[in-house]
Amino acid sequence: MHTASVFIELGSVILVLGLLGRIAGRYGLSPIPLYLLGGLAFGRGGLLPLSASEEFVATGAEIGVVLLLLMLGLEYTAADLVTNLKAQYPAGAVDFLLNALPGAAAALLLGWGPVAAVVLAGVTWISSSGVIAKVLGDLGRLGNRETPVILSILVLEDLAMAVYLPILTAVLAGAGLVAGSITLAIALATAGAVLFAALRYGRLISRFVSHDDPEKLLLVVLGLTLLVAGLAQQLQVSAAVGAFLVGIALSGEAAEGAHILLSPLRDLFAAVFFVFFGLSTDPTSIPPVLLPALLLAVATALTKVATGYWAARRAGIAARGRWRAGGALVSRGEFSIVIAGLAVTAGIEPALGPLATAYVLILVVTGPLAARYTQPAVERLGALSGRRRAARWAPAGTAASADAAVVAGSTAGAGAAPAASAVAGATVASATVGGGTVAETPDEAVNGVAS
């Protein structure tokens, strides 16, 4: 009878998740907020609390985190990571300062103490690689010049997790300075060893794992990932970091095949993970922290836009691309929930889980909108401000022509003469996004001229 209850509850949850995913896909949204809301509905204090399948869902949630990090690691090679570290580490430092410090400050202002400050700093720091990658694909921006800058920042954040998560684990466990230093040293040594092995012997490792039979490839990769994740957990290093390093070590055909085979499993267990986080949060605890979550979301959305703008400007990207880069980084998601989930399990601050849930819900919904509309909104505000200045200073009778000149200037680009672009032989590459057209000319891309 117990088995029947587990099947009924699991079947109901998975069916509801599938329907929620369809609804999100129909409106071009990330399904993560709907999964979190589903978890709130099925959790304690919700409409239909689960009982029989709660233990299974908890185990599935841990597997979901492992698979999320494995799939993320499969996206990159060790050589890519080393190159990104050398070229974009200043952007990673700016990203940390602008986005982690507001979270830490908020925790201290709320009186939660230094441990909660370390947790909330991670929650506000890390953007959602999964949501951002999907949004860039949906908007047709994967080939844009600002996209490598965005991906470099995401890679640096993912690498930083290999250091941050062991520190967080030690802090949450109440480890002293010596124990925490040992944990960090083990994490760094493990990450360094895996990166060295991937750089030096990546082809041999991938050749050993690779197989023409999809079944055997799936079993070997999944078994290796869970084994390494378990060993990492035993060494007081995050299981998620272990899975991420396994993904980095694989490349070529092995990585491509594993990505195809494991994607459905990742989607299933990741959805279970988001549901489980919602299950662990009492819906009645969210309204009291909704205002702080909203204020924190607004502040860190602006700091992410500033981060992307600065990094794209440093890379010589035109003004349009800078604003697009900033807007694309706003989304928070899986990593923020992973970090908050560790804190909830440790029981350091009852209000931290609800605040993190509300925070992620706000930014995972508004993030795709920021990616789509930040650049057009800035251009419209600039054009409006220009028209007002022109009307203020233009002689009587010439205001209309001044307005027309400003509109033409905002269309052709600030300081960019259409005639000069034509002489240079520039061609306009337009990408239709949500019914609008985003255009960037080669001379803008090379010279960084705002379009």
Side-chain angles (χ1 to χ4, degrees), residues 150 301 304-309 321-330 370 374:
I150 298 170
K304 275 294 182 182
V305 171
T307 298
Y309 186 94
R322 297 172 199 169
W323 290 115
R324 289 197 294 265
L329 290 170
V330 168
T374 296

PDB file of all heavy atoms in Angstrom, residues 150 301 304-309 321-330 370 374:
ATOM      1  N   ILE A 150      29.300  37.415 -22.038  1.00  0.00           N
ATOM      2  CA  ILE A 150      28.314  36.876 -21.091  1.00  0.00           C
ATOM      3  C   ILE A 150      28.724  35.485 -20.630  1.00  0.00           C
ATOM      4  O   ILE A 150      28.719  35.174 -19.427  1.00  0.00           O
ATOM      5  CB  ILE A 150      26.920  36.841 -21.747  1.00  0.00           C
ATOM      6  CG1 ILE A 150      26.458  38.258 -22.106  1.00  0.00           C
ATOM      7  CG2 ILE A 150      25.906  36.171 -20.828  1.00  0.00           C
ATOM      8  CD1 ILE A 150      25.207  38.289 -22.964  1.00  0.00           C
ATOM      9  N   ALA A 301      19.632  43.448  -9.605  1.00  0.00           N
ATOM     10  CA  ALA A 301      19.376  43.492 -11.051  1.00  0.00           C
ATOM     11  C   ALA A 301      20.164  44.646 -11.675  1.00  0.00           C
ATOM     12  O   ALA A 301      20.777  44.494 -12.739  1.00  0.00           O
ATOM     13  CB  ALA A 301      17.885  43.652 -11.326  1.00  0.00           C
ATOM     14  N   LYS A 304      23.882  43.775 -11.779  1.00  0.00           N
ATOM     15  CA  LYS A 304      24.204  42.832 -12.854  1.00  0.00           C
ATOM     16  C   LYS A 304      24.243  43.543 -14.206  1.00  0.00           C
ATOM     17  O   LYS A 304      25.103  43.249 -15.046  1.00  0.00           O
ATOM     18  CB  LYS A 304      23.173  41.700 -12.892  1.00  0.00           C
ATOM     19  CG  LYS A 304      23.455  40.551 -11.945  1.00  0.00           C
ATOM     20  CD  LYS A 304      24.713  39.789 -12.331  1.00  0.00           C
ATOM     21  CE  LYS A 304      24.937  38.619 -11.381  1.00  0.00           C
ATOM     22  NZ  LYS A 304      26.178  37.867 -11.688  1.00  0.00           N
ATOM     23  N   VAL A 305      23.327  44.467 -14.423  1.00  0.00           N
ATOM     24  CA  VAL A 305      23.351  45.246 -15.665  1.00  0.00           C
ATOM     25  C   VAL A 305      24.660  46.035 -15.745  1.00  0.00           C
ATOM     26  O   VAL A 305      25.311  46.088 -16.801  1.00  0.00           O
ATOM     27  CB  VAL A 305      22.142  46.199 -15.734  1.00  0.00           C
ATOM     28  CG1 VAL A 305      22.278  47.160 -16.913  1.00  0.00           C
ATOM     29  CG2 VAL A 305      20.845  45.400 -15.878  1.00  0.00           C
ATOM     30  N   ALA A 306      25.061  46.628 -14.633  1.00  0.00           N
ATOM     31  CA  ALA A 306      26.321  47.379 -14.606  1.00  0.00           C
ATOM     32  C   ALA A 306      27.512  46.457 -14.878  1.00  0.00           C
ATOM     33  O   ALA A 306      28.457  46.828 -15.581  1.00  0.00           O
ATOM     34  CB  ALA A 306      26.486  48.078 -13.258  1.00  0.00           C
ATOM     35  N   THR A 307      27.466  45.242 -14.333  1.00  0.00           N
ATOM     36  CA  THR A 307      28.547  44.274 -14.555  1.00  0.00           C
ATOM     37  C   THR A 307      28.679  43.932 -16.035  1.00  0.00           C
ATOM     38  O   THR A 307      29.782  43.969 -16.606  1.00  0.00           O
ATOM     39  CB  THR A 307      28.275  42.988 -13.759  1.00  0.00           C
ATOM     40  OG1 THR A 307      28.240  43.288 -12.362  1.00  0.00           O
ATOM     41  CG2 THR A 307      29.359  41.948 -14.020  1.00  0.00           C
ATOM     42  N   GLY A 308      27.559  43.578 -16.658  1.00  0.00           N
ATOM     43  CA  GLY A 308      27.594  43.226 -18.075  1.00  0.00           C
ATOM     44  C   GLY A 308      28.012  44.383 -18.949  1.00  0.00           C
ATOM     45  O   GLY A 308      28.774  44.205 -19.911  1.00  0.00           O
ATOM     46  N   TYR A 309      27.528  45.575 -18.636  1.00  0.00           N
ATOM     47  CA  TYR A 309      27.896  46.760 -19.424  1.00  0.00           C
ATOM     48  C   TYR A 309      29.397  47.000 -19.342  1.00  0.00           C
ATOM     49  O   TYR A 309      30.065  47.240 -20.351  1.00  0.00           O
ATOM     50  CB  TYR A 309      27.128  47.974 -18.904  1.00  0.00           C
ATOM     51  CG  TYR A 309      27.327  49.231 -19.729  1.00  0.00           C
ATOM     52  CD1 TYR A 309      26.436  49.560 -20.740  1.00  0.00           C
ATOM     53  CD2 TYR A 309      28.411  50.078 -19.502  1.00  0.00           C
ATOM     54  CE1 TYR A 309      26.616  50.707 -21.505  1.00  0.00           C
ATOM     55  CE2 TYR A 309      28.603  51.213 -20.263  1.00  0.00           C
ATOM     56  CZ  TYR A 309      27.704  51.528 -21.260  1.00  0.00           C
ATOM     57  OH  TYR A 309      27.894  52.654 -22.020  1.00  0.00           O
ATOM     58  N   GLY A 321      25.295  46.401 -27.601  1.00  0.00           N
ATOM     59  CA  GLY A 321      25.730  45.120 -27.061  1.00  0.00           C
ATOM     60  C   GLY A 321      26.027  45.185 -25.575  1.00  0.00           C
ATOM     61  O   GLY A 321      25.804  44.206 -24.847  1.00  0.00           O
ATOM     62  N   ARG A 322      26.520  46.320 -25.101  1.00  0.00           N
ATOM     63  CA  ARG A 322      26.792  46.456 -23.670  1.00  0.00           C
ATOM     64  C   ARG A 322      25.502  46.338 -22.850  1.00  0.00           C
ATOM     65  O   ARG A 322      25.461  45.636 -21.834  1.00  0.00           O
ATOM     66  CB  ARG A 322      27.443  47.812 -23.395  1.00  0.00           C
ATOM     67  CG  ARG A 322      28.785  48.020 -24.054  1.00  0.00           C
ATOM     68  CD  ARG A 322      29.246  49.461 -23.875  1.00  0.00           C
ATOM     69  NE  ARG A 322      30.284  49.820 -24.835  1.00  0.00           N
ATOM     70  CZ  ARG A 322      30.717  51.052 -25.042  1.00  0.00           C
ATOM     71  NH1 ARG A 322      30.179  52.057 -24.353  1.00  0.00           N
ATOM     72  NH2 ARG A 322      31.655  51.291 -25.932  1.00  0.00           N
ATOM     73  N   TRP A 323      24.469  47.044 -23.303  1.00  0.00           N
ATOM     74  CA  TRP A 323      23.199  46.981 -22.567  1.00  0.00           C
ATOM     75  C   TRP A 323      22.569  45.592 -22.665  1.00  0.00           C
ATOM     76  O   TRP A 323      21.970  45.102 -21.705  1.00  0.00           O
ATOM     77  CB  TRP A 323      22.229  48.043 -23.090  1.00  0.00           C
ATOM     78  CG  TRP A 323      22.619  49.444 -22.749  1.00  0.00           C
ATOM     79  CD1 TRP A 323      22.979  50.438 -23.614  1.00  0.00           C
ATOM     80  CD2 TRP A 323      22.709  50.022 -21.435  1.00  0.00           C
ATOM     81  NE1 TRP A 323      23.289  51.591 -22.932  1.00  0.00           N
ATOM     82  CE2 TRP A 323      23.128  51.370 -21.589  1.00  0.00           C
ATOM     83  CE3 TRP A 323      22.469  49.529 -20.157  1.00  0.00           C
ATOM     84  CZ2 TRP A 323      23.312  52.216 -20.509  1.00  0.00           C
ATOM     85  CZ3 TRP A 323      22.655  50.376 -19.064  1.00  0.00           C
ATOM     86  CH2 TRP A 323      23.060  51.702 -19.254  1.00  0.00           C
ATOM     87  N   ARG A 324      22.711  44.950 -23.841  1.00  0.00           N
ATOM     88  CA  ARG A 324      22.176  43.587 -23.967  1.00  0.00           C
ATOM     89  C   ARG A 324      22.907  42.623 -23.029  1.00  0.00           C
ATOM     90  O   ARG A 324      22.292  41.749 -22.431  1.00  0.00           O
ATOM     91  CB  ARG A 324      22.280  43.109 -25.419  1.00  0.00           C
ATOM     92  CG  ARG A 324      21.320  43.796 -26.376  1.00  0.00           C
ATOM     93  CD  ARG A 324      21.175  43.014 -27.677  1.00  0.00           C
ATOM     94  NE  ARG A 324      22.420  43.003 -28.435  1.00  0.00           N
ATOM     95  CZ  ARG A 324      22.720  43.859 -29.402  1.00  0.00           C
ATOM     96  NH1 ARG A 324      21.859  44.831 -29.703  1.00  0.00           N
ATOM     97  NH2 ARG A 324      23.863  43.773 -30.058  1.00  0.00           N
ATOM     98  N   ALA A 325      24.223  42.785 -22.923  1.00  0.00           N
ATOM     99  CA  ALA A 325      25.000  41.927 -22.024  1.00  0.00           C
ATOM    100  C   ALA A 325      24.559  42.114 -20.578  1.00  0.00           C
ATOM    101  O   ALA A 325      24.396  41.147 -19.830  1.00  0.00           O
ATOM    102  CB  ALA A 325      26.495  42.224 -22.172  1.00  0.00           C
ATOM    103  N   GLY A 326      24.358  43.368 -20.175  1.00  0.00           N
ATOM    104  CA  GLY A 326      23.917  43.632 -18.816  1.00  0.00           C
ATOM    105  C   GLY A 326      22.545  43.048 -18.525  1.00  0.00           C
ATOM    106  O   GLY A 326      22.344  42.394 -17.491  1.00  0.00           O
ATOM    107  N   GLY A 327      21.602  43.258 -19.442  1.00  0.00           N
ATOM    108  CA  GLY A 327      20.259  42.725 -19.224  1.00  0.00           C
ATOM    109  C   GLY A 327      20.217  41.211 -19.194  1.00  0.00           C
ATOM    110  O   GLY A 327      19.423  40.609 -18.458  1.00  0.00           O
ATOM    111  N   ALA A 328      21.085  40.557 -19.961  1.00  0.00           N
ATOM    112  CA  ALA A 328      21.065  39.096 -20.024  1.00  0.00           C
ATOM    113  C   ALA A 328      21.518  38.450 -18.725  1.00  0.00           C
ATOM    114  O   ALA A 328      21.149  37.292 -18.437  1.00  0.00           O
ATOM    115  CB  ALA A 328      21.962  38.617 -21.167  1.00  0.00           C
ATOM    116  N   LEU A 329      22.304  39.145 -17.912  1.00  0.00           N
ATOM    117  CA  LEU A 329      22.871  38.542 -16.699  1.00  0.00           C
ATOM    118  C   LEU A 329      21.959  38.636 -15.485  1.00  0.00           C
ATOM    119  O   LEU A 329      22.309  38.137 -14.413  1.00  0.00           O
ATOM    120  CB  LEU A 329      24.209  39.220 -16.370  1.00  0.00           C
ATOM    121  CG  LEU A 329      25.376  38.924 -17.318  1.00  0.00           C
ATOM    122  CD1 LEU A 329      26.552  39.844 -17.009  1.00  0.00           C
ATOM    123  CD2 LEU A 329      25.799  37.464 -17.193  1.00  0.00           C
ATOM    124  N   VAL A 330      20.800  39.235 -15.604  1.00  0.00           N
ATOM    125  CA  VAL A 330      19.953  39.511 -14.440  1.00  0.00           C
ATOM    126  C   VAL A 330      19.389  38.244 -13.797  1.00  0.00           C
ATOM    127  O   VAL A 330      19.263  38.160 -12.567  1.00  0.00           O
ATOM    128  CB  VAL A 330      18.805  40.466 -14.846  1.00  0.00           C
ATOM    129  CG1 VAL A 330      17.751  40.549 -13.750  1.00  0.00           C
ATOM    130  CG2 VAL A 330      19.361  41.842 -15.162  1.00  0.00           C
ATOM    131  N   ALA A 370      14.276  41.433 -18.761  1.00  0.00           N
ATOM    132  CA  ALA A 370      15.401  42.369 -18.770  1.00  0.00           C
ATOM    133  C   ALA A 370      16.315  42.100 -19.958  1.00  0.00           C
ATOM    134  O   ALA A 370      16.808  43.039 -20.594  1.00  0.00           O
ATOM    135  CB  ALA A 370      16.181  42.249 -17.456  1.00  0.00           C
ATOM    136  N   THR A 374      16.044  45.598 -21.985  1.00  0.00           N
ATOM    137  CA  THR A 374      16.960  46.592 -21.404  1.00  0.00           C
ATOM    138  C   THR A 374      17.502  47.537 -22.460  1.00  0.00           C
ATOM    139  O   THR A 374      17.450  48.769 -22.314  1.00  0.00           O
ATOM    140  CB  THR A 374      18.125  45.898 -20.678  1.00  0.00           C
ATOM    141  OG1 THR A 374      17.613  45.151 -19.572  1.00  0.00           O
ATOM    142  CG2 THR A 374      19.128  46.921 -20.167  1.00  0.00           C
TER     143      THR A 374
END
